[in-house]
Amino acid sequence: MYRDTQAIVKLGAIRDNIRQIRASLPASVKLMAVVKADGYGHGDLQTAAAAEQAGADLLAVAYLDEALKLRSKGSRLPILILTPIHPCEASVAVEHDLMVTVTSADWFREMLSCRSIGSPQKLKVHIKLDTGLGRLGLKTKSEWDELVPYLHKGEVEVDGVFTHFATAGRADTDFLLQQYHRFMEMKEWCRSSGIAVHRFHCAGSASALRFPWLAMDMVRIGAAMFGFYQGPLLDHLRLAPALRLSSKLIQAKKLNSGECIGYDNSYMAERDEWIGTVPIGYADGWSQALQGSPMLIDGQRAPIVGKICMDQLMIRLPGRYEAGEEVVLVGRQGDDEITFSELASRIGTVPQEISTALSSRIDRMYWE
Ligand SMILES: *Cc1c(COP(=O)(O)O)cnc(C)c1O
């Protein structure tokens, strides 16, 4: 591509992150690499391949289409689709050897009413239990009892039973433990119903890394493989950010004190200043909420000033620079580094909301 704004994804960093995560967990724990949403914006095929090279045992995505893409490009690992698919599409999952998430007996009823009969392969399911996130999964014993007859059917294989935590990244662990104990109670339902379950799993990145004893049979790792978990709650690992986003100034100009720039005159210079224009905008996923956030130029921080436009934005330069000077939006330059985590905490979100928003207009280049 011809554009100066580009993302470099370091597959070696992803592999190294996965290896560190593996090493921090008991050897028997399986690692499921979560590569939904185009690998958190890093590229699904490439990051799935890197995860596999580093020893991931399974993959997960959110939707059937994402799983079919991985399969059609040659991914051979088991793949779990985390969001329930339409019951009538179960035959597509079976045909491509994909595992599906089931949250109710109704799903099976509907599936059986529309599934083409006689498929020799089993349907592999993971049953989702809601222990407090309130998003997906069955909650009560009676919902479970209703589901059990379907799980005993010969053409169904229960590969997993799982739940998801609501507060794994927070310092206060009370609610997490409450969810864990609820999951333990529900695990007992499985045992007493005589359902053979290959693996129980509950931990995503934050819980798996903070509390390895929660790992059970498998952990589901997304954010951490991309290096999004650093900071106070996790000081025993050195996870490296995998994506560097950079651009180049396309124009630099002097602004006199009192002059405005940007739509709606959104910024006024308080003194004579140098302003640089960078070719990235909200259509690339650089949200207007990032106004005021820094970028690096010549190893120094330069804030975004004025409203972010669709295709460009302006920064206040630390001095005079020429068009063509490199600016780093995410990554290291000189002695300083800007991470998705830093940007996310500035605007009150999570790093993956910013990385997944990077649009396809930004070319991803891959370094082995
Ligand atoms: C996205 C997702 C994960 C991965 O979470 P991270 O915090 O990014 O590791 C795990 N489990 C489920 C159910 C998910 O939807």
Side-chain angles (χ1 to χ4, degrees), residues 34 36 40 82 128 135 162 164 204-206 220-224 229 352:
V34 183
K36 60 192 180 188
Y40 288 41
L82 294 164
K128 181 90 183 260
R135 182 172 70 178
F162 73 116
H164 197 51
S205 292
R220 306 184 301 266
I221 302 295
Y229 274 97
Q352 48 270 44

Side-chain angles (χ1 to χ4, degrees), residues 32-36 40 60-62 80 82-83 101 128 133 135-136 162-165 168 201-207 219-226 228-229 352:
M32 171 180 267
V34 183
V35 296
K36 60 192 180 188
Y40 288 41
V61 290
L80 171 62
L82 294 164
T83 310
T101 295
K128 181 90 183 260
L133 180 59
R135 182 172 70 178
L136 292 170
F162 73 116
T163 192
H164 197 51
F165 293 122
H201 50 109
C202 61
S205 292
S207 42
V219 294
R220 306 184 301 266
I221 302 295
M225 76 185 253
F226 303 106
F228 289 167
Y229 274 97
Q352 48 270 44

Side-chain angles (χ1 to χ4, degrees), residues 135-310:
R135 182 172 70 178
L136 292 170
L138 58 87
K139 284 174 81 169
T140 64
K141 179 74 163 57
S142 65
E143 288 170 310
W144 170 259
D145 290 340
E146 214 192 321
L147 186 64
V148 168
Y150 295 99
L151 303 182
H152 278 304
K153 286 187 187 295
E155 66 268 30
V156 174
E157 183 178 329
V158 185
D159 193 76
V161 169
F162 73 116
T163 192
H164 197 51
F165 293 122
T167 60
R170 301 182 68 160
D172 182 342
T173 57
D174 286 356
F175 194 77
L176 178 114
L177 293 176
Q178 202 175 305
Q179 281 194 268
Y180 176 72
H181 290 128
R182 179 74 180 142
F183 191 48
M184 286 295 131
E185 283 168 31
M186 293 164 116
K187 200 176 162 190
E188 185 53 27
W189 300 349
C190 302
R191 206 195 53 75
S192 62
S193 314
I195 305 286
V197 178
H198 292 169
R199 41 187 147 243
F200 289 90
H201 50 109
C202 61
S205 292
S207 42
L209 298 180
R210 292 177 65 200
F211 314 109
W213 56 269
L214 276 180
M216 296 186 171
D217 303 310
M218 181 171 88
V219 294
R220 306 184 301 266
I221 302 295
M225 76 185 253
F226 303 106
F228 289 167
Y229 274 97
Q230 304 144 312
L233 297 175
L234 250 198
D235 48 14
H236 61 295
L237 290 183
R238 285 280 157 266
L239 300 176
L243 189 150
R244 182 177 200 266
L245 178 63
S246 67
S247 187
K248 287 180 180 162
L249 291 186
I250 47 174
Q251 194 179 337
K253 65 179 75 66
K254 187 147 182 224
L255 202 64
N256 297 317
S257 177
E259 283 185 311
C260 292
I261 58 162
Y263 285 123
D264 303 329
N265 295 149
S266 37
Y267 175 75
M268 186 198 282
E270 284 172 11
R271 55 187 76 83
D272 293 359
E273 303 175 336
W274 285 92
I275 298 290
T277 302
V278 183
I280 184 171
Y282 58 77
D284 298 296
W286 217 250
S287 158
Q288 289 200 329
L290 288 161
Q291 184 178 340
S293 301
M295 295 184 186
L296 296 173
I297 183 162
D298 196 17
Q300 300 171 71
R301 290 186 166 226
I304 299 172
V305 291
K307 286 189 180 175
I308 294 174
C309 314
M310 186 184 283

